[in-house]
Amino acid sequence: MAQGLEVALTDLQSSRNNVRHHTEEITVDHLLVRRGQAFNLTLYFRNRGFQPGLDNIIFVVETEDAVYLDSEPQRQEYVMNDYGFIYQGSKNWIRPCPWNYGQFEEKIIDICLKLLDKSLHFQTDPATDCALRGSPVYVSRVVSAMINSNDDNGVLNGNWSENYTDGTNPAEWTGSVAILKQWYAAGCQPVRYGQCWVFAAVMCTVMRCLGIPTRVITNFDSGHDTDGNLIIDEYYDNTGRILGNKKKDTIWNFHVWNECWMARKDLPPGYGGWQVLDATPQEMSNGVYCCGPASVRAIKNGEVDLNYDTPFVFSMVNADCMSWLVQGGKEQKLHQDTSSVGNFISTKSIQSDERDDITENYKYEEGSLQERQVFLKALQKLKAERFHSSRRGADLQPSRPTPLSQDSPRSVHTPSLRPSDVVQVSLKFKLLDPPNMGQDICFVLLALNMSSQFKDLKVNLSAQSLLHDGSPLSPFWQDIAFITLSPKEAKTYPCKISYSQYSQYLSTDKLIRISALGEEKSSPEKILVNKIITLSYPSITINVLGAAVVNQSLSIQVIFSNPLSEQVEDCVLTVEGSGLFKKQQKILLGVLKPQHRASIILETVPFKSGQRQIQANMRSNKFKDIKGYRNVYVDFAL
């Protein structure tokens, strides 16, 4: 009987296999293969050679690709692309923020695996955790919880206080690599600080590194419904100033989350594909600060009873907004708006720097019968769940069932009248010039009498800074306008807010909300109108001086300026780019005089070929996020 084979050496052919599996940018020293694709290895035997027909070698391999995308351009964008854009600003001024995902940079794969090992699930039951790592549903929930630090030593501390003296202002970050490496180098202690776009960007890096197709999504006018009734309540005083919300409901100027592509065998057929994951710590899910995966198709169809966290995501894109006037200790309903939440839902286009609007993936067209039917369907499912929850609570502990909210949305067929329809007066703000940082803000209030009667209006105007999560800061400008309108007449009331008036009150988000609360002496109805202004900076200009070739020196010119009419101090320029710089570059610029324009030349040696991107940010004691980017194609060395 022939002697059995003894394996002396196994050649995993790491370099060749990794190239075929598009993982060579991560490593060529260790085998790193992707699901659903063949790879080669060679076995060397110690005692004798392999004899076909006599010897049998059996490999047992179990593979299932639950995250397979059949489109090669989509795979290139959502797995392989290591840079992109995160959309910020407001629905009236959408701006791309360049970001270095850097999922193939040195040590990132090791950091991502360490992140999984630091999760509460692994710490509690490592065997079960590892057994479940083949499930993208499970892994995505673990990563969503680990990106924030609310329950564990996750990657990022969230901070919305405007006080970042003991860390980094979230607006200053330009990439995930520096964040993940800082977390790893500090013994897996949370990095200070992040907000929604930073959480989403870092999660995108981790998920793409793990081979799960992922993209970053921005939702403008994003609802945060804390009590699950699909109503966002906003409160105003008689000057039109928005008040801090006692219910903690808010409309975020924009909110950023992720979509990951995966099969959902835990759901009915048809609900696989893109799933919402939100690593920003807003509400708990099964006792942990994470959110998702929630099927995008389930959100559009109002199937809010499907896992995970679908009701919360539904409210972010399709809640109604109720405006209230608070006066003399009483609350007066101003208007219920069914279309103000969830606008211009955006992501980067495939293999392009353009923006894709994917709002139709999340909901039917606002104002359509189908959209209202889905809203009512979701509301009824939530009420039924609250009723059953209260009944279960009653079975466990005798008490009165929790009363259901009597708030009801407007009916499908009969929209409610707006106050402006009752008074027959329309108010609207219009900017006269682009709102540039450092300059006065000039705008007008347009008043239109839609009736055949004279109208005497008193309008209270105010302006206040906002954080991007909707939190209001103190008002810094107020005015009162008295406007008399003849039948069908239109008038404009000019307004100006000087730089000296708003500069010291501005938040990092550079958002100003102007409001007008109008009343007509012959009617008890009040008309509320507001507009959010996003102040803009001039971008950093980046020029590549010469051809970019792997392993050859490359000069890069960065042109920047102080846009303000005052001196700024503590200026720091940050530059990075995967495949172009080994690590993030920080250049101390010191003091910049008013309106001063300058440039510097940086030298680097590209070490990866293909399409690359340079990201830059400049901060000072007066501003934190003047940004710029430049795409660069790096050729192979001859």
Side-chain angles (χ1 to χ4, degrees), residues 27-281:
T27 181
V28 292
D29 298 325
H30 307 287
L31 181 64
L32 191 60
V33 295
R34 299 189 184 277
R35 296 167 297 275
Q37 184 178 339
F39 63 93
N40 298 320
L41 54 84
T42 303
L43 301 179
Y44 295 91
F45 302 104
R46 179 177 290 111
N47 53 333
R48 61 179 178 82
F50 176 78
Q51 299 178 21
L54 176 64
D55 295 320
N56 289 312
I57 300 176
I58 299 175
F59 294 93
V60 179
V61 180
E62 295 183 20
T63 62
E64 179 186 16
D65 196 352
V67 296
Y68 177 71
L69 263 175
D70 60 4
S71 164
E72 177 61 23
Q74 286 186 321
R75 290 197 294 266
Q76 288 296 320
E77 182 66 49
Y78 301 134
V79 178
M80 301 300 298
N81 200 354
D82 60 5
Y83 67 87
F85 299 100
I86 303 169
Y87 295 96
Q88 300 178 347
S90 68
K91 66 181 177 184
N92 300 315
W93 189 74
I94 299 174
R95 70 180 182 102
C97 172
W99 196 271
N100 177 25
Y101 295 120
Q103 67 267 32
F104 302 127
E105 290 297 285
E106 186 180 7
K107 293 186 178 179
I108 294 300
I109 183 66
D110 297 323
I111 295 171
C112 292
L113 296 175
K114 173 65 74 173
L115 183 147
L116 295 179
D117 289 348
K118 284 292 181 178
S119 74
L120 293 177
H121 299 274
F122 182 85
Q123 299 295 320
T124 303
D125 188 349
T128 301
D129 176 82
C130 289
L132 289 172
R133 288 187 183 179
S135 164
V137 174
Y138 176 80
V139 169
S140 64
R141 280 184 68 77
V142 169
V143 174
S144 174
M146 278 301 298
I147 297 300
N148 69 71
S149 63
N150 285 44
D151 310 290
D152 41 47
N153 284 335
V155 177
L156 281 159
N157 273 341
N159 186 343
W160 289 264
S161 71
E162 289 289 286
N163 180 8
Y164 311 109
T165 53
D166 58 345
T168 300
N169 187 314
E172 295 178 29
W173 297 113
T174 52
S176 307
V177 177
I179 295 170
L180 288 167
K181 287 187 174 181
Q182 183 177 328
W183 175 77
Y184 189 70
C188 304
Q189 293 300 306
V191 176
R192 300 171 179 171
Y193 289 104
Q195 290 183 7
C196 64
W197 68 92
V198 188
F199 290 114
V202 174
M203 182 159 184
C204 183
T205 297
V206 173
M207 299 302 276
R208 286 186 183 181
C209 184
L210 296 176
I212 299 176
T214 304
R215 58 189 186 181
V216 177
I217 310 296
T218 301
N219 178 37
F220 292 94
D221 299 328
S222 188
H224 184 177
D225 175 26
T226 58
D227 55 10
N229 66 349
L230 300 186
I231 300 288
I232 308 294
D233 294 293
E234 290 191 324
Y235 298 88
Y236 297 82
D237 68 11
N238 59 3
T239 69
R241 174 174 68 108
I242 190 169
L243 303 173
N245 195 327
K246 58 187 178 183
K247 272 181 53 183
K248 303 303 181 184
D249 282 0
T250 50
I251 296 180
W252 293 37
N253 210 51
F254 68 88
H255 182 51
V256 185
W257 59 72
N258 299 101
E259 284 180 4
C260 298
W261 181 274
M262 65 186 72
R264 291 298 301 271
K265 292 186 177 181
D266 57 318
L267 300 182
Y271 290 102
W274 289 117
Q275 312 288 315
V276 171
L277 278 302
D278 191 348
T280 301

Side-chain angles (χ1 to χ4, degrees), residues 493-598:
Y493 182 81
C495 304
K496 183 176 80 170
I497 305 174
S498 67
Y499 173 65
S500 61
Q501 286 178 297
Y502 71 76
S503 61
Q504 59 184 318
Y505 296 99
L506 204 59
S507 72
T508 304
D509 298 305
K510 305 180 295 298
L511 300 172
I512 294 176
R513 183 178 191 137
I514 51 175
S515 300
L517 186 66
E519 53 184 315
E520 205 273 326
K521 67 178 184 180
S522 64
S523 171
E525 294 285 348
K526 291 179 172 58
I527 311 163
L528 175 68
V529 62
N530 53 61
K531 185 180 185 67
I532 294 177
I533 298 170
T534 306
L535 293 160
S536 62
Y537 290 118
S539 299
I540 293 172
T541 301
I542 302 173
N543 296 318
V544 177
L545 308 179
V549 181
V550 171
N551 295 329
Q552 295 185 17
S553 180
L554 178 66
S555 298
I556 297 168
Q557 181 189 42
V558 183
I559 304 172
F560 50 90
S561 61
N562 172 13
L564 306 182
S565 56
E566 59 182 316
Q567 179 174 289
V568 295
E569 301 172 354
D570 304 323
C571 296
V572 178
L573 180 69
T574 305
V575 182
E576 64 179 294
S578 287
L580 297 168
F581 298 93
K582 287 288 187 179
K583 63 179 182 178
Q584 190 182 69
Q585 308 293 304
K586 284 194 175 183
I587 301 98
L588 303 180
L589 303 175
V591 175
L592 286 180
K593 295 179 180 179
Q595 306 291 329
H596 182 66
R597 180 179 171 90

Side-chain angles (χ1 to χ4, degrees), residues 287-573:
V288 178
Y289 278 98
C290 67
C291 181
S295 165
V296 173
R297 179 169 292 180
I299 294 160
K300 182 170 184 175
N301 293 334
E303 302 293 350
V304 293
D305 51 340
L306 298 182
N307 285 338
Y308 291 88
D309 310 304
T310 312
F312 185 73
V313 180
F314 184 92
S315 72
M316 290 198 291
V317 300
N318 212 10
D320 284 358
C321 181
M322 189 86 77
S323 299
W324 300 86
L325 174 64
V326 179
Q327 194 171 16
K330 295 182 180 180
E331 297 174 2
Q332 174 187 345
K333 178 181 174 181
L334 292 173
H335 178 62
Q336 182 167 335
D337 192 333
T338 64
S339 61
S340 60
V341 170
N343 292 293
F344 299 102
I345 303 176
S346 303
T347 193
K348 178 186 175 296
S349 296
I350 297 172
Q351 297 181 331
S352 163
D353 287 353
E354 298 301 311
R355 180 184 68 90
D356 265 356
D357 189 308
I358 58 169
T359 307
E360 65 177 8
N361 292 359
Y362 281 84
K363 58 182 180 179
Y364 295 97
E365 185 178 359
E366 288 289 359
S368 68
L369 178 63
Q370 213 166 7
E371 185 273 334
R372 280 292 93 186
Q373 288 174 332
V374 168
F375 180 92
L376 292 175
K377 172 184 176 181
L379 190 65
Q380 291 305 315
K381 283 178 176 283
L382 291 176
K383 285 188 174 182
E385 173 59 27
R386 290 167 71 181
F387 175 75
H388 292 310
S389 296
S390 66
R391 290 294 298 271
R392 287 194 295 269
D395 293 338
L396 295 172
Q397 182 176 350
S399 65
R400 295 182 62 186
T402 305
L404 298 179
S405 170
Q406 297 304 309
D407 293 337
S408 61
R410 71 189 196 189
S411 72
V412 176
H413 303 291
T414 55
S416 62
L417 290 175
R418 296 182 66 96
S420 57
D421 298 327
V422 176
V423 183
Q424 293 190 293
V425 171
S426 168
L427 297 178
K428 184 180 180 180
F429 285 117
K430 182 181 179 180
L431 286 170
L432 298 179
D433 300 299
N436 294 320
M437 175 62 73
Q439 299 178 8
D440 297 343
I441 303 170
C442 297
F443 59 98
V444 295
L445 177 70
L446 303 173
L448 171 63
N449 182 1
M450 298 178 289
S451 76
S452 56
Q453 300 174 338
F454 282 88
K455 297 288 183 178
D456 287 321
L457 297 179
K458 176 187 176 184
V459 185
N460 288 296
L461 299 111
S462 67
Q464 61 193 130
S465 288
L466 287 181
L467 305 184
H468 91 275
D469 67 357
S471 301
L473 303 182
S474 299
F476 55 79
W477 176 85
Q478 290 183 334
D479 193 8
I480 299 177
F482 295 93
I483 304 172
T484 300
L485 295 171
S486 300
K488 306 297 183 181
E489 183 183 16
K491 283 186 178 179
T492 61
Y493 182 81
C495 304
K496 183 176 80 170
I497 305 174
S498 67
Y499 173 65
S500 61
Q501 286 178 297
Y502 71 76
S503 61
Q504 59 184 318
Y505 296 99
L506 204 59
S507 72
T508 304
D509 298 305
K510 305 180 295 298
L511 300 172
I512 294 176
R513 183 178 191 137
I514 51 175
S515 300
L517 186 66
E519 53 184 315
E520 205 273 326
K521 67 178 184 180
S522 64
S523 171
E525 294 285 348
K526 291 179 172 58
I527 311 163
L528 175 68
V529 62
N530 53 61
K531 185 180 185 67
I532 294 177
I533 298 170
T534 306
L535 293 160
S536 62
Y537 290 118
S539 299
I540 293 172
T541 301
I542 302 173
N543 296 318
V544 177
L545 308 179
V549 181
V550 171
N551 295 329
Q552 295 185 17
S553 180
L554 178 66
S555 298
I556 297 168
Q557 181 189 42
V558 183
I559 304 172
F560 50 90
S561 61
N562 172 13
L564 306 182
S565 56
E566 59 182 316
Q567 179 174 289
V568 295
E569 301 172 354
D570 304 323
C571 296
V572 178
L573 180 69

